[in-house]
């Protein structure tokens, strides 16, 4: 019997045939479905199903603002771009974090998740770090490097968020040697890492 794996991301196709959002995480989920029963937790987008089966993957989309058509963080631009360019997205970001935290804890418990793969150090790995002691499951962080590479030297708060998140996960998979170097420089300590 397959164990349950949860992928936490903000980049997942909103519906079948969605070409505006990167399909890399879906490809990974499909590959992992040979070994695990895969669940994906991602933010809801207006007109997308809240719960959907895509191939062998169960997709759970958490709503984070009402009315749902105002959910400005889960569009084709992606979370980080929306936060940089959209003032309203910045206003509703605290709601996004709160609902992700609630749904993350609920999903792990409801589906008896064995291991979690988190895509992105902020906010996803940070939020998982807040509940890690209560869920007690192994965690793997896949870091694309976007948040880390965009960090300037004087971002004290962001650096501490990254340090906290990296300390809380069991394994970090940066996309390159340079991303690992940047992460280690920000954190000031070495951590369990693998580059694939």
């Amino acid at each position: 019997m397959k164990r349950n794996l949860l992928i936490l991301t903000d980049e997942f196709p909103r519906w079948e045939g969605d070409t505006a959002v990167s399909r890399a995480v879906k490809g990974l989920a499909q590959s992992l479905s040979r070994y695990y029963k895969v669940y994906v937790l991602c933010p809801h987008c207006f007109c997308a199903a809240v719960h959907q089966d895509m191939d062998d993957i169960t997709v759970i989309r958490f709503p984070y603002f009402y009315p749902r058509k105002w959910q400005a963080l889960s569009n084709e631009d992606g979370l980080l771009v929306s936060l940089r360019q959209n003032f309203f997205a910045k206003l509703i970001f605290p709601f996004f974090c709160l609902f992700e935290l609630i749904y993350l804890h609920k999903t792990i418990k409801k589906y008896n998740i064995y291991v979690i793969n988190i895509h992105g150090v902020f906010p996803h790995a940070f939020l998982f770090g807040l509940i890690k002691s209560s869920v007690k499951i192994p965690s793997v962080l896949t870091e694309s490097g976007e948040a880390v590479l965009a960090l300037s030297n004087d971002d004290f708060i962001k650096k501490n968020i990254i340090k906290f998140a990296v300390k809380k996960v069991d394994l970090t998979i940066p996309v390159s040697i340079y991303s690992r170097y940047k992460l280690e420089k920000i954190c000031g300590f070495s951590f369990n890492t693998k580059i694939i």
Side-chain angles (χ1 to χ4, degrees):
M1 182 175 212
K2 292 180 181 177
R3 291 179 164 168
N4 296 339
L5 175 139
L6 177 65
I7 295 177
L8 177 62
T9 183
D10 58 85
E11 292 188 9
F12 201 81
R14 298 163 292 177
W15 42 77
E16 290 287 354
D18 183 11
T19 57
V21 177
S22 170
R23 300 181 59 79
V25 178
K26 185 179 181 198
L28 175 66
Q30 287 171 321
S31 297
L32 290 171
S33 69
R34 288 182 287 175
Y35 311 103
Y36 295 95
K37 170 63 181 132
V38 178
Y39 296 86
V40 174
L41 181 63
C42 58
H44 182 261
C45 181
F46 187 60
C47 294
V50 173
H51 194 276
Q52 177 181 19
D53 289 322
M54 284 186 171
D55 304 319
D56 292 333
I57 305 158
T58 300
V59 184
I60 303 149
R61 295 184 183 89
F62 64 91
Y64 55 90
F65 201 75
Y66 298 93
R68 289 185 179 175
K69 66 181 178 180
W70 290 2
Q71 295 177 136
L73 290 160
S74 50
N75 56 33
E76 60 275 353
D77 294 330
L79 178 68
L80 294 177
V81 172
S82 295
L83 281 172
R84 281 194 298 264
Q85 296 178 352
N86 186 332
F87 180 72
F88 182 69
K90 290 175 187 169
L91 291 177
I92 66 173
F93 184 65
F95 296 102
F96 178 95
C97 292
L98 175 65
F99 280 95
E100 180 172 307
L101 200 58
I102 291 167
Y103 273 82
L104 178 58
H105 192 272
K106 183 173 142 184
T107 303
I108 289 170
K109 294 296 186 185
K110 180 178 179 180
Y111 296 103
N112 192 26
I113 299 299
Y114 170 72
V115 62
I116 185 169
N117 177 220
I118 306 161
H119 288 260
V121 71
F122 184 76
H124 312 303
F126 174 76
L127 293 172
F128 173 76
L130 297 176
I131 63 166
K132 179 166 174 100
S133 61
S134 69
V135 295
K136 296 183 175 111
I137 60 171
S139 53
V140 177
L141 167 63
T142 302
E143 178 49 50
S144 66
E146 185 179 356
V148 174
L149 297 175
L151 194 66
S152 68
N153 292 331
D154 57 345
D155 287 332
F156 177 78
I157 293 172
K158 289 180 185 174
K159 282 183 181 179
N160 282 302
I161 286 170
I162 290 172
K163 284 181 188 180
F164 173 81
V166 170
K167 275 184 185 175
K168 290 292 183 177
V169 296
D170 298 305
L171 174 67
T172 301
I173 303 175
V175 295
S176 67
I177 293 170
Y178 183 68
S179 291
R180 180 179 66 190
Y181 164 76
K182 287 287 284 184
L183 263 176
E184 286 177 345
K185 192 172 178 187
I186 289 165
C187 294
F189 55 82
S190 58
F191 44 84
N192 191 11
T193 183
K194 180 174 274 195
I195 297 171
I196 301 172

